Amino acid sequence: MLAVVQRVREARVDVGEKTVGAIGQGLVALIAVKSGDSSDAADYIATKLTTLRIFGDDAGKMNLSVQEVGGAVLVVSQFTLYGETRKGRRPSFTKSARPEEAEPLIERVISYLRDRGITVACGEFGAMMQLALVNDGPVTIILNSDDRDTPRR
């Protein structure tokens, strides 16, 4: 799984003319599921979203998690993160999981966050969405569940 995570002051996601999810301070997580990803990948991404220390403490140092600042998470499924662009001009999405494989893993991430008391808003899986956000910093982090298999040096 991949997640592009942005620290935000506020964010919302609309489907058509309707806002389906909105948050104040917190994180926007654009999440893609790769074909063959497991529940372990979802748990890794969810754990990182919960514990990633990218909010400022009293000294202004990035030392607090979304949970510690009482922030929320806006989760938006975005299969295009696995778009392959090495050949041609049109991205190939063959690495992206099919909806029936991806949606349960996205839901697992959402449940994990909610089970830890984090307020979660969501986009609408498979819908055309418009995302509006005010990035705070800007701070943008890329999480890759494949990194869980890579030893730290």
Side-chain angles (χ1 to χ4, degrees):
M1 290 179 86
L2 288 175
V4 174
V5 181
Q6 295 186 309
R7 186 178 74 184
V8 298
R9 292 186 182 198
E10 62 184 55
R12 77 170 195 278
V13 61
D14 299 336
V15 174
E17 299 298 318
K18 181 181 177 191
T19 297
V20 296
I23 63 169
Q25 177 189 30
L27 302 173
V28 169
L30 307 174
I31 302 176
V33 179
K34 179 177 62 182
S35 182
D37 274 342
S38 66
S39 58
D40 289 344
D43 292 348
Y44 174 84
I45 294 295
T47 300
K48 284 292 189 180
L49 288 171
T50 304
T51 60
L52 195 62
R53 298 181 339 175
I54 60 173
F55 290 88
D57 60 16
D58 290 339
K61 183 175 181 180
M62 281 200 272
N63 207 22
L64 301 173
S65 69
V66 69
Q67 198 167 32
E68 292 169 318
V69 299
V73 179
L74 176 59
V75 174
V76 178
S77 176
Q78 188 172 349
F79 77 94
T80 61
L81 293 178
Y82 276 111
E84 178 61 55
T85 60
R86 282 187 280 177
K87 292 183 181 179
R89 294 177 290 177
R90 182 181 8 206
S92 168
F93 301 106
T94 58
K95 289 184 181 179
S96 298
R98 300 202 42 82
E100 58 273 10
E101 182 183 3
E103 189 171 15
L105 293 177
I106 298 292
E107 290 299 325
R108 184 177 180 101
V109 170
I110 293 165
S111 293
Y112 183 101
L113 297 171
R114 287 183 174 150
D115 288 349
R116 278 139 191 90
I118 297 171
T119 299
V120 180
C122 306
E124 185 178 312
F125 189 89
M128 289 295 293
M129 296 174 271
Q130 295 76 48
L131 181 61
L133 60 91
V134 177
N135 195 313
D136 184 19
V139 174
T140 303
I141 305 290
I142 298 172
L143 302 175
N144 185 340
S145 64
D146 290 344
D147 292 346
R148 72 186 188 283
D149 302 326
T150 305
R152 284 183 77 186
R153 293 182 183 206

